[in-house]
Amino acid sequence: MRKYPWKDDVHGLRVVPEEIKLYHTSGHTIGMKLSQIARMDSYVSIMAFGFSVEALEGIINKRPERLDIILHSSLQPHAIRWAKEYPTISIRTSSGPLRNLILIEPETVYCDIERGGEHIGIRDRRIFDHFHDHVFMSEWRRAQEVCPQCPASTS
């Protein structure tokens, strides 16, 4: 037992995850996780601030349902087009924190550690709930809902 073990508090959650994997920069990126989502039936929530438009479009084309996405506001024209073409997904835009996060129900979390490409994969329901409720939903509430009726240009 550690001398000063961490505790749950307002700053975070103390957990012993069921399964955790640290991905280093050996060519395996968090963006590669997007291609795997199409094969899953689970509900997926994505904060996509660094993924390419092509990668996002690929996942939306393959999986146009059970998907919530927060995009950086610089992708507003793409977000409007996708909202028009795929009315079954929910898209919002934000100029908020630049983070990539993929949540796959019921318990999988993929999150960037740093911009160098390192990311972490965790399978644990308590950690999933924490990231969903305190990270994703916090940003979701601040993000702007995409209006499919709006013109694709922001000028």
Side-chain angles (χ1 to χ4, degrees):
M1 176 106 186
R2 290 193 166 84
K3 188 173 180 179
Y4 301 105
W6 286 333
K7 295 181 171 80
D8 289 357
D9 58 25
V10 297
H11 306 291
L13 182 68
R14 179 193 181 272
V15 293
V16 179
E18 292 179 23
E19 194 173 354
I20 190 167
K21 183 173 184 178
L22 175 64
Y23 295 88
H24 53 80
T25 57
S26 64
H28 191 281
T29 67
I30 192 171
M32 294 172 128
K33 296 299 174 194
L34 290 176
S35 64
Q36 298 172 3
I37 293 171
R39 299 187 302 245
M40 300 174 184
D41 189 39
S42 302
Y43 206 98
V44 177
S45 302
I46 300 172
M47 285 176 56
F49 291 101
F51 299 131
S52 72
V53 170
E54 294 79 17
L56 291 166
E57 192 153 85
I59 188 58
I60 292 170
N61 285 332
K62 292 176 187 174
R63 187 201 169 89
E65 71 265 336
R66 300 177 54 121
L67 187 58
D68 292 337
I69 304 175
I70 304 172
L71 299 171
H72 190 267
S73 55
S74 64
L75 297 178
Q76 181 78 15
H78 297 286
I80 292 169
R81 181 171 53 81
W82 293 331
K84 286 179 184 177
E85 292 175 16
Y86 304 101
T88 56
I89 62 173
S90 298
I91 303 176
R92 293 188 179 202
T93 58
S94 174
S95 59
L98 301 178
R99 167 189 312 245
N100 287 315
L101 175 69
I102 301 172
L103 301 171
I104 305 167
E105 287 188 358
E107 64 180 11
T108 303
V109 176
Y110 293 105
C111 185
D112 280 347
I113 296 174
E114 60 179 54
R115 289 182 186 246
E118 291 186 342
H119 62 284
I120 193 165
I122 304 167
R123 288 193 184 121
D124 185 277
R125 183 61 199 218
R126 194 163 170 232
I127 295 172
F128 175 92
D129 289 344
H130 179 80
F131 270 86
H132 182 269
D133 298 346
H134 298 284
V135 178
F136 185 83
M137 289 309 296
S138 177
E139 191 65 34
W140 185 261
R141 286 187 290 275
R142 282 193 297 268
Q144 180 180 17
E145 187 172 1
V146 173
C147 169
Q149 294 78 31
C150 298
S153 150
T154 57
S155 53

